[in-house]
Amino acid sequence: MLDLRRGIGTHHPSVISLGQVWVDIMMNVDAVPPQGGFAVADHPKPAIGGSYRVLEAASRMGVQSEHAGILGNGLWANFIRQSFQDNGINHIGQDRLDEDSGFRVVLSSGEPKKTFIASYGAEAHGGVDTFDMLEPQDHDVVHISGNTLMDHTAAGVDGFLLRAGTDPTKRDYALVINPTNTLRLVNDHMLEDLVLARPIWSCNRQEATTLAERLGAPIDDSKVTIGGGLDDFMHQLCDGLGHTLRAPLVVRVGSLGAWVREPGGETVHIPGFPTKAVHTRSAGGCHTGVMCAMLAEGRDLTDAVKLANAATSIAITRSINGVPQCPEYDEAAALLQG
């Protein structure tokens, strides 16, 4: 089926996300109250969450960015649509008129772990036909996030994966999966179909370790000690997990950069750019979005990760309400070139 919203004429490679987008309402409290308790939030601020940050980062790299997920109708959906418009993101997915998009209340009391309260909306209520209209073209990059793998919309993702097949060399586009910390909740059938599709996996160390444990990949974290042992562990993790996945693997480790392994190749460390961070939310969306944008531009995986490392190091120094702000391409490229 031709999606007229993508336009007709010369094709410009796009980053297309199947991920869910919602609104985060972030609240800083002295302490998360117990049941029946009371707390006062300090200047609560709404921000767009989910796969929006991947699309925003890709757009700031100058690459066409498209959201193929579901948007609703109402206050939160209008906020999302306006943010898409302001940041050059096109919505090409389904629209639902019968419910609003969802939101999350994020409680932060200064502890490393935050408390989340989710109200799911249109984004989570898709079906097997959710992505039937999507036909990626030459050099597009299709992004799938773990936040789309646990509810009704997951059936649509599974359908897309089955159409994508199990041989990446037969696709005209690249497939990137960002599993997020929800990976441990994904059912075995969905995880199997993800692995069989052999996408590029973009994870942080925790996500990669969880994935390795679920797949039975050989890892040993006993070598990780304060002040040493991380490099040995990362090589072992990437070699074992990459061999099991039979797919490209990127594992991010904050300011230390990322480790990259291509199928049949050696694990390579791509150094990061240590900076003074002011963020409280993950910068993984920025890294994945920049990486996807560079892949759409035709760069190889190693070069894409180098620029993503640079962009992320800038993003964490200028957060708004704790959310890292991805820079434009020229600024990230300037840092990379030194």
Side-chain angles (χ1 to χ4, degrees):
M1 179 184 298
L2 176 64
D3 182 2
L4 296 179
R5 282 178 288 188
R6 295 201 69 191
I8 300 174
T10 302
H11 173 63
H12 298 284
S14 304
V15 174
I16 308 167
S17 181
L18 278 57
Q20 296 178 2
V21 175
W22 58 77
V23 175
D24 283 331
I25 304 173
M26 306 177 68
M27 298 185 177
N28 295 322
V29 295
D30 291 334
V32 177
Q35 183 176 357
F38 176 80
V40 176
D42 179 25
H43 304 299
K45 298 289 185 181
I48 312 299
S51 294
Y52 170 77
R53 293 175 193 157
V54 172
L55 292 167
E56 180 187 47
S59 180
R60 289 184 177 176
M61 293 298 107
V63 173
Q64 184 166 291
S65 303
E66 301 177 332
H67 176 239
I70 305 172
L71 285 185
N73 177 42
L75 175 65
W76 303 126
N78 290 339
F79 183 30
I80 294 169
R81 292 178 195 277
Q82 186 61 55
S83 296
F84 278 2
Q85 181 177 327
D86 293 344
N87 289 277
I89 300 168
N90 298 322
H91 174 60
I92 64 170
Q94 295 182 1
D95 299 296
R96 290 193 58 153
L97 301 178
D98 58 338
E99 66 176 327
D100 202 349
S101 294
F103 65 93
R104 313 286 190 273
V105 175
V106 185
L107 298 179
S108 175
S109 59
E111 298 294 327
K113 292 186 177 181
K114 298 172 179 60
T115 300
F116 295 83
I117 304 171
S119 176
Y120 295 105
E123 74 284 348
H125 298 149
V128 295
D129 64 341
T130 299
F131 303 109
D132 283 358
M133 46 68 68
L134 185 60
E135 294 184 355
Q137 300 178 50
D138 288 352
H139 303 298
D140 284 344
V141 177
V142 177
H143 164 259
I144 298 174
S145 177
N147 60 48
T148 316
L149 305 178
M150 300 180 298
D151 48 48
H152 298 295
T153 307
V157 175
D158 201 30
F160 178 83
L161 289 173
L162 294 176
R163 295 198 307 276
T166 59
D167 186 353
T169 65
K170 294 183 179 180
R171 298 182 199 128
D172 296 328
Y173 59 92
L175 188 60
V176 174
I177 172 68
N178 176 211
T180 77
N181 289 326
T182 60
L183 182 64
R184 58 175 48 87
L185 303 176
V186 175
N187 67 55
D188 291 340
H189 172 77
M190 175 60 74
L191 182 58
E192 180 181 5
D193 286 347
L194 280 170
V195 172
L196 289 174
R198 296 173 63 193
I200 299 169
W201 292 79
S202 175
C203 320
N204 62 30
R205 188 175 70 174
Q206 180 184 14
E207 294 158 356
T209 302
T210 300
L211 180 60
E213 291 171 348
R214 285 203 61 179
L215 298 178
I219 60 170
D220 178 10
D221 60 3
S222 63
K223 294 182 180 180
V224 180
T225 59
I226 296 175
L230 178 61
D231 189 66
D232 289 341
F233 170 72
M234 291 303 299
H235 276 82
Q236 183 189 91
L237 171 63
C238 293
D239 288 344
L241 180 56
H243 178 75
T244 300
L245 292 171
R246 299 184 305 123
L249 174 66
V250 177
V251 182
R252 309 180 302 273
V253 189
S255 63
L256 296 178
W259 277 256
V260 177
R261 184 186 187 276
E262 299 268 17
E266 299 291 330
T267 296
V268 178
H269 177 220
I270 310 298
F273 298 81
T275 50
K276 185 177 181 180
V278 297
H279 69 303
T280 57
R281 301 298 303 274
S282 171
C286 172
H287 193 283
T288 301
V290 173
M291 185 189 79
C292 287
M294 293 302 97
L295 292 174
E297 291 279 278
R299 306 221 189 163
D300 64 29
L301 184 59
T302 298
D303 284 344
V305 171
K306 287 179 179 178
L307 189 70
N309 285 354
T312 303
S313 72
I314 297 172
I316 63 175
T317 68
R318 53 179 64 160
S319 68
I320 297 178
N321 298 317
V323 179
Q325 300 299 300
C326 186
E328 303 287 339
Y329 171 82
D330 288 346
E331 187 176 6
L335 176 61
L336 181 61
Q337 293 168 3

